[in-house]
Amino acid sequence: MRVFHVDDPLVDDAEKRIFLAGPTPRPWVEPIVSSWRPEAIRLFEQFGFDGNIFIPESRDLETFNWEYQVDWEDEQMNAADCILFWIPRVLETMPGFTTNVEWGRWENSGKVVLGSPPEAKKMGYIRHYAKKHGVPIADTLKGTVNLAIQMANSI
């Protein structure tokens, strides 16, 4: 398994590609919260995933370039075999407004899985359309990672 952040050189030699979509903590917004993606990576490793994971987080905030970020995300989501949406929405710290737009772009693509904890706020509309489009849904990160691996392995 290889993990690529937005500012890593891309060497994509795997047949399976999963993009980790969902709210990203903003280190310049108080209070600072931790990303959920390191736990997701640990779960992919635990399950023995043998593809590539694409993470829309920068390793170096000093060189952050918003336009490059948006273009990179679009390119990787288009190329992904599966887009994992994990939405642990907390309105005060990780509202996921950009995630809402991304979900709307991909909800009916046939290559998304959706996860959110039961306590996540404002998820009714997204869950409604996930069910309507037959999107696999989980209420734990572990379950969501498992669904993404199943989807990527079925390609």
Side-chain angles (χ1 to χ4, degrees), residues 6-24:
V6 69
D7 42 10
D8 291 339
L10 289 178
V11 181
D12 185 15
D13 56 359
E15 293 180 13
K16 299 175 224 166
R17 302 167 54 101
I18 297 176
F19 184 90
L20 302 187
T24 298

Side-chain angles (χ1 to χ4, degrees), residues 7 14 24-25 43 46 102 139 146:
D7 42 10
T24 298
L43 290 165
Q46 179 183 324
E102 291 170 342
D139 62 2
N146 189 36

Side-chain angles (χ1 to χ4, degrees), residues 132-153:
K132 183 175 180 173
H133 296 305
V135 171
I137 303 171
D139 62 2
T140 65
L141 183 56
K142 184 175 185 177
T144 309
V145 166
N146 189 36
L147 290 172
I149 291 170
Q150 288 176 33
M151 181 175 284
N153 284 340

Side-chain angles (χ1 to χ4, degrees), residues 3-4 9 29 35 37 57 61 63 71 81 93 100 131 141:
V3 177
F4 296 95
V29 176
S35 174
R37 290 183 178 96
E57 293 181 17
L61 292 175
T63 61
D71 290 343
D81 298 306
T93 57
N100 290 346
K131 290 174 186 170
L141 183 56

Side-chain angles (χ1 to χ4, degrees), residues 86-100:
W86 175 247
I87 310 175
R89 190 184 318 275
V90 176
L91 294 175
E92 298 76 24
T93 57
M94 281 205 309
F97 298 138
T98 301
T99 300
N100 290 346

